[in-house]
Amino acid sequence: MTVPRQLTAWVRCPRPSPEAAVRLFCLPYGGGGAMIYREWPLTLAPAVEVWHVQLPGREARYREPPCTDMAALIFPLIEAMRPHLDRPFALFGHSMGALVAFELTRQLRRDGLPQPVHLFPSARRAPHLPDWRTPLHTLPDSELVTHLNQRYNGVPPAILQSTDLLRMFIPTIRADLTLTEVYEYVPEEPFTCPISAFGGLGDGAVARDDVVGWGDHTSESFTLRMVPGDHFFLQAHRPRLLSAIAADLGLNALAGGAS
């Protein structure tokens, strides 16, 4: 099947693995891009074929306006993924990416398309849990950056020290915050795939009970893993995270470090 050029930008596979047992689509956190997963194939391939989800407004798509509406993001993403759903697949999303993965799975189900064999939300409260914190997406630029650092410790020093990079970063993170902060949860049936949720023991933005709530969204097994680190534990503790993912996908050869 030929995918229209405008859709090929949404997903890419940096290291194809024809013999892989499962594909893993990885969705980035707010303000982040697909490159945060660039080293994952080094560990997971060839058993897992890692696919990067590339959202507009960052990296190679930085000239495109970022999405502030979930439906505007989900529908083209599904069309881009559709040709690659011909083998078992799983979804991993960190922070904002976890919420997108959740709504993506719901829309796949509504459309009668293949469902993921496993859902991996990370560093995100369960979708049905309200966020009582002050919204950030309407703050002036300087206040937005300050509150981002206070809440998530998540603005890289290189961006803070560069006026040009900061000018590029702010519209994207503001759009991503809008996407998540205006999101309205609507109840639906739980998924029939297992969910494994990750949280950071030192994450001041997402508490353990917030992560536990993901168990309400599956009729199958639920696994909670709290790992060392703050909101961005996926960087510092990548080997542990990938071992856990491999274990939950039944790939024991990669799962020596899971806990």
Side-chain angles (χ1 to χ4, degrees):
M1 177 179 178
T2 301
V3 182
R5 176 174 294 182
Q6 67 270 26
L7 294 178
T8 59
W10 285 86
V11 293
R12 63 180 296 269
C13 180
R15 184 175 175 179
S17 300
E19 68 274 34
V22 62
R23 288 180 171 137
L24 180 65
F25 292 91
C26 300
L27 297 110
Y29 50 77
M35 286 300 290
I36 62 175
Y37 300 113
R38 65 186 178 279
E39 296 183 12
W40 283 34
L42 301 179
T43 299
L44 293 177
V48 178
E49 187 177 74
V50 177
W51 282 73
H52 295 171
V53 174
Q54 302 193 101
L55 303 181
R58 66 214 76 207
E59 295 178 346
R61 304 185 68 187
Y62 77 95
R63 294 185 184 276
E64 301 177 46
C67 294
T68 57
D69 175 77
M70 188 66 74
L73 188 156
I74 292 296
F75 286 113
L77 177 55
I78 285 180
E79 289 307 305
M81 291 174 60
R82 189 187 291 261
H84 312 297
L85 304 181
D86 56 344
R87 73 171 70 171
F89 68 96
L91 301 176
F92 177 92
H94 191 80
S95 196
M96 177 191 76
L99 183 61
V100 176
F102 174 77
E103 284 298 326
L104 175 63
T105 303
R106 283 182 148 196
Q107 192 59 49
L108 287 169
R109 181 171 62 185
R110 296 183 197 115
D111 292 346
L113 293 171
Q115 299 288 289
V117 297
H118 214 108
L119 182 62
F120 295 98
S122 176
R124 178 78 192 181
R125 71 183 182 281
H128 66 285
L129 298 179
D131 186 357
W132 303 111
R133 298 171 301 181
T134 302
L136 302 183
H137 71 275
T138 58
L139 294 177
D141 289 356
S142 59
E143 292 183 36
L144 174 61
V145 172
T146 298
H147 281 78
L148 277 174
N149 266 335
Q150 291 174 347
R151 185 176 295 183
Y152 300 108
N153 189 29
V155 182
I159 291 179
L160 291 174
Q161 296 165 9
S162 169
T163 302
D164 290 339
L165 290 178
L166 198 58
R167 188 181 299 117
M168 294 173 61
F169 172 75
I170 287 178
T172 301
I173 190 62
R174 188 184 297 282
D176 291 349
L177 287 167
T178 302
L179 180 78
T180 58
E181 291 178 345
V182 305
Y183 169 80
E184 295 184 4
Y185 170 77
V186 178
E188 289 187 16
E189 290 298 312
F191 299 135
T192 55
C193 68
I195 294 179
S196 297
F198 298 91
L201 290 169
D203 188 347
V206 182
R208 183 183 187 277
D209 287 347
D210 295 334
V211 184
V212 169
W214 282 97
D216 293 347
H217 295 285
T218 179
S219 60
E220 295 296 321
S221 63
F222 172 71
T223 303
L224 171 69
R225 286 191 173 89
M226 300 299 295
V227 301
D230 59 15
H231 192 70
F232 294 99
F233 57 83
L234 84 167
Q235 306 287 15
H237 298 279
R238 184 175 66 248
R240 182 171 182 169
L241 185 67
L242 296 186
S243 291
I245 290 172
D248 290 349
L249 290 174
L251 305 172
N252 295 325
L254 300 176
S259 60

